[in-house]
């Protein structure tokens, strides 16, 4: 009986797809465009089965549309900034950049092995200078227009870890990492003035036909 050995057969075809740029997407193309975008994962180290499920569904859509004659843009990237990187760096005692890039490399390898049909030429990571210069650019616009401001506000704080904790990281009043009690601390923080747009947001809900009522609520 012939055996299916994924490490052999899949590797072979993935290499051929890569050489032929099967998953690439050109900006100029006569075919109708179609955009498939899944959530960019946080590079925590390894893909878990939740990732595999989510990305398989997106990949099925992308492949289906390609076969139906669409020019499919199916990119991938990494949501690589934030508190998890800070916490992991403290935990493993290594610089956050080192930890983050190592994880991106490993997760990219796993995604390639799964054969997910991404246009890897368009890969982004929010920790790349080429990416976050745009975050800084838009933040500056907000700031100059009075829509970003600083003020004191209470945060969850762990004295032992010396970090802020998200609400989900406080378990029964203690820190999820070290089990020490969490305190409320006044810290100067940045805020976006979203309330300026609250009425407009509410008014414009009527411009969204077909949205489920529970989502609008
Ligand atoms: Zn702690």
């Amino acid at each position: 009986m012939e055996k299916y050995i994924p490490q052999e057969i899949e590797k072979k075809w993935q290499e051929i797809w890569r050489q032929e740029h099967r998953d690439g997407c050109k900006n100029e193309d006569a075919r109708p465009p179609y955009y498939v975008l899944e959530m960019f994962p946080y590079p925590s180290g390894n893909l878990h089965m939740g990732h595999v499920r989510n990305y398989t569904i997106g990949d099925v859509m992308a492949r289906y549309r390609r076969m139906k004659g669409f020019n499919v843009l199916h990119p991938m990237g990494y949501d690589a900034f934030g508190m998890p990187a800070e916490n992991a760096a403290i935990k493993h005692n290594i610089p956050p950049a080192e930890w983050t890039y190592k994880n991106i490399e490993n997760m990219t390898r796993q995604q390639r092995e799964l054969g997910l049909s991404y246009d890897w030429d368009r890969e982004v990571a929010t920790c790349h200078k080429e990416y976050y210069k745009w975050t800084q650019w838009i933040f500056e616009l907000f700031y100059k227009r009075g829509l970003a401001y600083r003020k004191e506000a209470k945060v969850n704080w762990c004295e032992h870890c010396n970090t802020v904790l998200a609400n989900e990281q406080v378990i029964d009043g203690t820190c999820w990492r070290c089990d020490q009690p969490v305190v409320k601390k006044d810290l100067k923080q940045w805020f976006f003035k979203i309330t300026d747009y609250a009425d407009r947001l509410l008014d414009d809900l009527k411009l969204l036909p077909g949205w489920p009522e529970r989502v609008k609520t």
Side-chain angles (χ1 to χ4, degrees):
M1 204 176 88
E2 234 185 308
K3 259 191 175 170
Y4 182 79
I5 302 167
Q7 287 83 351
E8 288 171 14
I9 188 163
E10 293 184 11
K11 209 172 162 184
K12 175 190 157 187
W13 287 106
Q14 284 166 10
E15 184 55 30
I16 290 169
W17 296 343
R18 200 181 59 79
Q19 283 169 9
E20 294 180 356
H21 297 283
R22 289 284 185 100
D23 306 325
C25 174
K26 291 199 182 82
N27 290 348
E28 302 301 326
D29 195 296
R31 295 170 296 170
Y34 199 87
Y35 186 28
V36 181
L37 180 68
E38 297 123 38
M39 255 190 288
F40 288 170
Y42 176 74
S44 54
N46 286 297
L47 294 183
H48 52 69
M49 286 314 289
H51 287 126
V52 177
R53 176 179 183 269
N54 185 47
Y55 297 140
T56 302
I57 294 168
D59 199 54
V60 167
M61 287 180 66
R63 286 172 186 272
Y64 175 74
R65 289 290 168 173
R66 267 188 214 109
M67 289 194 280
K68 294 285 267 184
F70 288 83
N71 179 34
V72 176
L73 170 58
H74 190 207
M76 183 37 63
Y78 301 92
D79 178 10
F81 261 138
M83 226 160 44
E86 189 187 324
N87 290 340
I90 293 168
K91 189 173 163 190
H92 304 295
N93 200 27
I94 54 171
E98 196 182 306
W99 186 80
T100 302
Y101 281 114
K102 210 172 84 221
N103 289 350
I104 288 178
E105 199 184 300
N106 186 50
M107 287 168 78
T108 306
R109 179 188 57 78
Q110 293 181 303
Q111 286 167 313
R112 285 183 183 273
E113 277 179 8
L114 283 165
L116 300 168
S117 62
Y118 299 126
D119 183 350
W120 286 109
D121 290 346
R122 294 171 187 264
E123 179 191 337
V124 295
T126 54
C127 61
H128 289 164
K129 278 199 187 82
E130 284 309 300
Y131 183 96
Y132 69 71
K133 72 175 181 187
W134 296 112
T135 316
Q136 292 171 329
W137 176 80
I138 201 163
F139 182 85
E140 204 181 347
L141 285 186
F142 277 113
Y143 182 68
K144 283 178 179 161
R145 292 169 195 196
L147 295 168
Y149 60 97
R150 283 189 99 179
K151 69 165 188 183
E152 296 253 322
K154 290 210 185 307
V155 294
N156 302 313
W157 181 264
C158 176
E159 296 280 358
H160 180 253
C161 298
N162 241 354
T163 62
V164 172
L165 297 172
N167 287 336
E168 308 84 71
Q169 296 172 328
V170 181
I171 298 154
D172 295 327
T174 65
C175 170
W176 68 302
R177 189 171 35 231
C178 71
D179 297 323
Q180 296 300 304
V182 173
V183 295
K184 292 281 179 191
K185 184 175 176 174
D186 276 314
L187 267 192
K188 228 177 196 177
Q189 300 174 79
W190 286 102
F191 288 88
F192 287 119
K193 213 172 162 198
I194 56 174
T195 44
D196 276 14
Y197 295 87
D199 290 332
R200 206 167 118 192
L201 178 68
L202 208 54
D203 292 342
D204 286 357
L205 281 178
K206 56 179 174 292
L207 304 175
L208 300 173
W211 279 51
E213 206 52 42
R214 61 187 167 83
V215 174
K216 290 203 266 182
T217 304

